[in-house]
Amino acid sequence: MMNRLAVAASLLAALIIGCDKGSESKQPAGAHKPLVVGFAQVGAESSWRTANSESIKKEAAKRGIELKFVDAQQKQENQIKAIRSFIAQRVDVIVLSPVVETGFEPVLREAKQAGIPVVLSDRRADVSDESLYTTFIGSDFVQEGRRAAEFLVKKMNQKANIAELEGTPGSAPANDRKKGFDDVIKNYPDMKVLMSQTGDFTRAKGKEVMEAFLKSPEGKNINALFAHNDDMALGAIQAIEEAGLRPGKDITIVSIDGVKGAFEAMADGKLNCTVECNPLIGPQLFDLVEKVAAKQSVPHRVNVQESVYTEDQAKEMLPKRQY
Ligand code: AHR
């Protein structure tokens, strides 16, 4: 009897030890904690931005990265608050897509003092000390503005009365696209910008501002439109139609981004050209983030590859567009 008890006791002990080993094996020694990344996104102002946020969330999930995502609703103060909270939470890497170019230096200094590397995504920040961010991945916005102007110069035979819908004031894409556009058209004295105002990168504002442009004393002379993004151009197209004019014909339109809605408008003959600005940068971004977290060297500037699409390519390209 005593022997049987002893055997049962040792079996039970073996079982308990076995169970313990089992639970240990779920956390093998040397297992990595998932990378924790804080991302301060601009907002959800455009179709481009929605595609950009989706690409980033999807890629983080695919790599098992814990992403703390903050939508700043186009407000710099929300981004500054988000960065401070990422610092307090001791995330591994902070990613920032700055709403505007200036005013981030103090908070970026706080991140640096806390030893948390910062990666800029999509938009540049204007800082006097380049070591405040490790790398910047984004499009060449000046080049995009140049490409839009080159299209318009050719299409309008070097003579146009242009209305311009600008992006968010103080943002890198608004500043740079305007610069690139102006750099080209200044060489053509008959390419004139009659009016220029911000539509804040949104469809609703693009429509509202275009309505005001068309009602202004010079409105009847507009025969070309440069919109700093597709969403504003799509809003303006509505305003042009409501004013009894034909977008894409009475008013030649070029915009930037290359979203599906722009391809649909081109296929309908209402938009003449979209200059691509690729939002699907999740994979490239997290390649950089992982290297930065592993303290590997990365280039200080990484460009995104882009093209230009005109109305004659729209029908063929439309089914292939991913955003
Ligand atoms: O920063 C990229 C720009 O921001 C896109 O062109 C625009 O659509 C977005 O809102």
Side-chain angles (χ1 to χ4, degrees):
M1 179 66 174
M2 205 43 214
N3 265 352
R4 270 197 210 150
L5 269 178
V7 170
S10 58
L11 273 175
L12 192 64
L15 204 63
I16 290 166
I17 290 164
C19 283
D20 269 349
K21 275 195 184 144
S23 64
E24 259 169 33
S25 68
K26 278 183 204 148
Q27 281 276 319
H32 292 296
K33 280 203 306 155
L35 206 61
V36 182
V37 176
F39 182 78
Q41 177 61 295
V42 171
E45 74 284 3
S46 61
S47 330
W48 187 99
R49 187 66 54 197
T50 307
N52 180 246
S53 294
E54 273 168 19
S55 166
I56 285 162
K57 286 179 186 171
K58 193 170 147 207
E59 191 62 25
K62 191 170 147 197
R63 295 182 189 220
I65 290 172
E66 186 184 329
L67 184 69
K68 295 178 184 292
F69 183 93
V70 173
D71 171 342
Q73 298 174 347
Q74 297 228 73
K75 291 197 174 77
Q76 182 175 41
E77 64 265 32
N78 290 347
Q79 291 196 310
I80 292 173
K81 230 186 275 167
I83 295 170
R84 292 212 166 108
S85 121
F86 297 151
I87 295 171
Q89 294 172 70
R90 305 274 336 141
V91 300
D92 297 306
V93 179
I94 292 171
V95 181
L96 167 66
S97 184
V99 176
V100 289
E101 288 195 69
T102 55
F104 281 102
E105 189 138 352
V107 78
L108 293 184
R109 209 168 285 289
E110 290 170 34
K112 188 177 177 187
Q113 274 155 9
I116 302 176
V118 173
V119 172
L120 297 181
S121 167
D122 163 38
R123 297 183 182 181
R124 196 188 54 239
D126 197 2
V127 285
S128 62
D129 175 0
E130 292 283 304
S131 78
L132 292 180
Y133 65 92
T134 312
T135 179
F136 162 45
I137 172 171
S139 306
D140 183 341
F141 296 137
V142 177
Q143 172 74 353
E144 290 170 354
R146 270 196 213 113
R147 287 174 165 169
E150 279 156 8
F151 168 80
L152 219 49
V153 166
K154 202 163 161 213
K155 180 88 179 164
M156 301 301 291
N157 289 322
Q158 307 185 8
K159 188 172 162 55
N161 289 327
I162 307 161
E164 180 182 17
L165 285 169
E166 296 178 27
T168 303
S171 68
N175 292 343
D176 291 358
R177 287 171 183 168
K178 188 176 188 64
K179 185 184 178 315
F181 189 82
D182 290 351
D183 277 354
V184 172
I185 66 155
K186 71 175 183 221
N187 302 312
Y188 301 91
D190 291 331
M191 296 287 294
K192 293 185 186 119
V193 178
L194 297 186
M195 50 200 86
S196 184
Q197 209 178 298
T198 178
D200 210 14
F201 282 131
T202 69
R203 194 181 283 222
K205 261 298 193 64
K207 179 169 188 269
E208 190 186 307
V209 176
M210 192 67 204
E211 278 165 1
F213 280 168
L214 292 169
K215 284 183 191 145
S216 71
E218 286 253 62
K220 58 179 181 317
N221 298 324
I222 300 169
N223 61 1
L225 171 68
F226 167 42
H228 288 195
N229 82 342
D230 289 341
D231 278 63
M232 292 190 293
L234 295 171
I237 286 172
Q238 262 181 281
I240 293 167
E241 285 181 323
E242 283 170 21
L245 296 165
R246 294 168 307 161
K249 295 191 179 61
D250 299 322
I251 299 182
T252 298
I253 308 173
V254 58
S255 57
I256 297 175
D257 275 353
V259 300
K260 249 192 198 136
F263 277 80
E264 282 159 3
M266 286 199 295
D268 291 345
K270 297 180 180 182
L271 177 73
N272 306 89
C273 176
T274 184
V275 175
E276 189 180 38
C277 177
N278 183 5
L280 308 178
I281 59 175
Q284 255 183 303
L285 172 66
F286 284 108
D287 280 351
L288 286 171
V289 165
E290 284 179 338
K291 282 190 181 151
V292 168
K295 299 197 173 11
Q296 290 170 19
S297 79
V298 290
H300 201 54
R301 172 74 166 104
V302 177
N303 272 315
V304 179
Q305 288 300 314
E306 282 143 356
S307 308
V308 176
Y309 299 102
T310 47
E311 50 201 316
D312 46 307
Q313 298 164 287
K315 284 204 174 93
E316 188 206 329
M317 290 299 300
L318 195 49
K320 297 182 202 150
R321 294 308 288 171
Q322 288 178 61
Y323 63 94

